[in-house]
């Protein structure tokens, strides 16, 4: 790494991307002001939850009838997807938690591919 933050995996504030995500998971990363991070249309929580649930249920191993994501995956799903949705400020805490659960299942079983599939589905693609 060259320490300049350009092209070396460094975030704008000098933290490496993986360190920043680890800090998010631990709850130690600072909040940043600005527009929502996801380029998806606004939607009611129930609509977004339904899409995430449908996608997650396709990847849950057979015989596992209810998702049980780890707290770290729930934190990651909340920080990277739920909080980034443009409609999130209008959703209840219970709705945010349900969405985080389904997103965490996608992350657990499909990683970034699951998140990208969710974003495509929410964008109508």
């Amino acid at each position: 790494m060259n320490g300049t933050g350009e092209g070396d995996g460094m975030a704008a504030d000098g933290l490496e991307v993986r360190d920043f995500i680890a800090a998010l998971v631990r709850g130690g990363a600072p909040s940043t002001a600005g527009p929502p991070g996801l380029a998806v249309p606004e939607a009611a929580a129930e609509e977004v939850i339904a899409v995430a649930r449908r996608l997650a249920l396709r990847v849950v191993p057979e015989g596992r009838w209810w998702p049980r994501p780890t707290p770290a995956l729930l934190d990651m799903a909340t920080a990277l997807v739920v909080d980034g949705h443009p409609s999130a400020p209008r959703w209840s805490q219970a709705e945010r938690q349900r969405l985080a659960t389904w997103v965490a299942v996608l992350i657990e079983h499909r990683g970034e591919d699951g998140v990208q599939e969710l974003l495509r589905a929410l964008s109508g693609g």
Side-chain angles (χ1 to χ4, degrees):
M1 290 202 276
N2 63 21
T4 65
E6 296 178 6
D8 63 357
M10 299 292 282
D13 63 0
L15 292 174
E16 290 190 47
V17 173
R18 69 176 179 271
D19 292 337
F20 182 73
I21 292 172
L24 285 173
V25 171
R26 287 191 309 273
S31 295
T32 57
L38 299 181
V40 296
E42 292 193 15
E46 288 305 320
E47 292 174 37
V48 179
I49 292 166
V51 172
R53 181 180 184 274
R54 177 178 50 84
L55 295 174
L57 287 175
R58 292 191 329 199
V59 299
V60 173
E62 192 171 325
R64 185 171 150 195
W65 65 276
W66 187 249
R68 293 181 200 96
T70 65
L73 284 177
L74 285 170
D75 290 344
M76 183 179 293
T78 299
L80 298 177
V81 177
V82 178
D83 290 347
H85 195 285
S87 300
R90 294 190 308 273
W91 298 340
S92 72
Q93 186 61 29
E95 291 168 328
R96 294 167 59 83
Q97 289 174 330
R98 281 198 315 273
L99 179 57
T101 297
W102 294 114
V103 173
V105 170
L106 282 172
I107 293 170
E108 178 182 3
H109 295 285
R110 302 249 1 263
E112 177 67 15
D113 289 342
V115 173
Q116 291 303 317
E117 182 179 17
L118 174 62
L119 297 180
R120 280 191 301 276
L122 293 176
S123 295

